[in-house]
């Protein structure tokens, strides 16, 4: 029983010494300068956070909307260009287009994996 009381008293004594030492060091002028500097850093962080929040809301969001509008405009202009082109069957097919050294493993063997019927055209019988 005696070691138990001693251990308890020892931990209590260590806690009391630590508390008094902390109180003593907290009141020194050097510690106050440290606290002032930490408070300045916190205030600066609050201001910086507010600045970046404003930049994100008032700068980035409108930029994304404008970039999206520009992309939509370019997309529609691109497809308007396709309306002026002749039908796929009447377009000139050059020798370097649709070169096939062997058939593909899928479909009829003539169309690539990314074949698009509305854009791509290949007539095996047609020569240029």
């Amino acid at each position: 029983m005696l070691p138990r009381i001693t251990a308890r008293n020892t931990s209590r004594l260590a806690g009391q010494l630590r508390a008094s030492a902390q109180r003593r060091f907290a009141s020194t002028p050097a510690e106050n300068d440290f606290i002032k500097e930490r408070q300045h850093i916190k205030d600066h962080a609050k201001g910086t956070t507010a600045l970046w929040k404003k930049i994100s809301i008032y700068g980035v969001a409108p930029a994304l909307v404008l970039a999206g509008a520009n992309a939509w405009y370019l997309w529609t202009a691109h497809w308007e260009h396709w309306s002026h082109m002749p039908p796929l069957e009447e377009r000139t097919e050059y020798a370097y287009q649709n070169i096939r050294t062997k058939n593909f493993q899928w479909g009829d063997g003539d169309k690539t994996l990314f074949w698009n019927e509305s854009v791509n055209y290949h007539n095996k019988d047609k020569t240029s």
Side-chain angles (χ1 to χ4, degrees), residues 46-116:
K46 284 181 186 177
T48 304
T49 302
L51 171 70
W52 280 105
K53 186 176 181 180
K54 290 174 187 172
I55 288 172
S56 297
I57 293 171
Y58 301 116
V60 174
L64 287 174
V65 170
L66 291 173
N70 183 43
W72 178 79
Y73 172 75
L74 293 174
W75 176 262
T76 54
H78 172 74
W79 286 110
E80 286 176 9
H81 169 72
W82 276 93
S83 65
H84 302 294
M85 306 244 335
L88 288 173
E89 298 82 19
E90 296 176 10
R91 292 187 193 156
T92 306
E93 189 170 347
Y94 298 99
Y96 62 85
Q97 292 176 319
N98 301 309
I99 296 173
R100 307 284 189 263
T101 55
K102 66 178 188 175
N103 289 338
F104 294 109
Q105 292 90 1
W106 52 84
D108 63 357
D110 186 46
K111 294 178 176 70
T112 66
L113 189 60
F114 302 103
W115 190 267
N116 183 353

Side-chain angles (χ1 to χ4, degrees), residues 1 7-8 17 28 31 38-40 46 50 52 56 59 61 74 79 82 95 105-106 111 122 125 127:
M1 190 93 165
R8 191 168 90 192
L17 289 174
T28 61
E31 187 70 11
R38 294 297 299 167
Q39 188 60 40
H40 173 71
K46 284 181 186 177
W52 280 105
S56 297
L74 293 174
W79 286 110
W82 276 93
Q105 292 90 1
W106 52 84
K111 294 178 176 70
H122 176 58
D125 301 330
T127 59

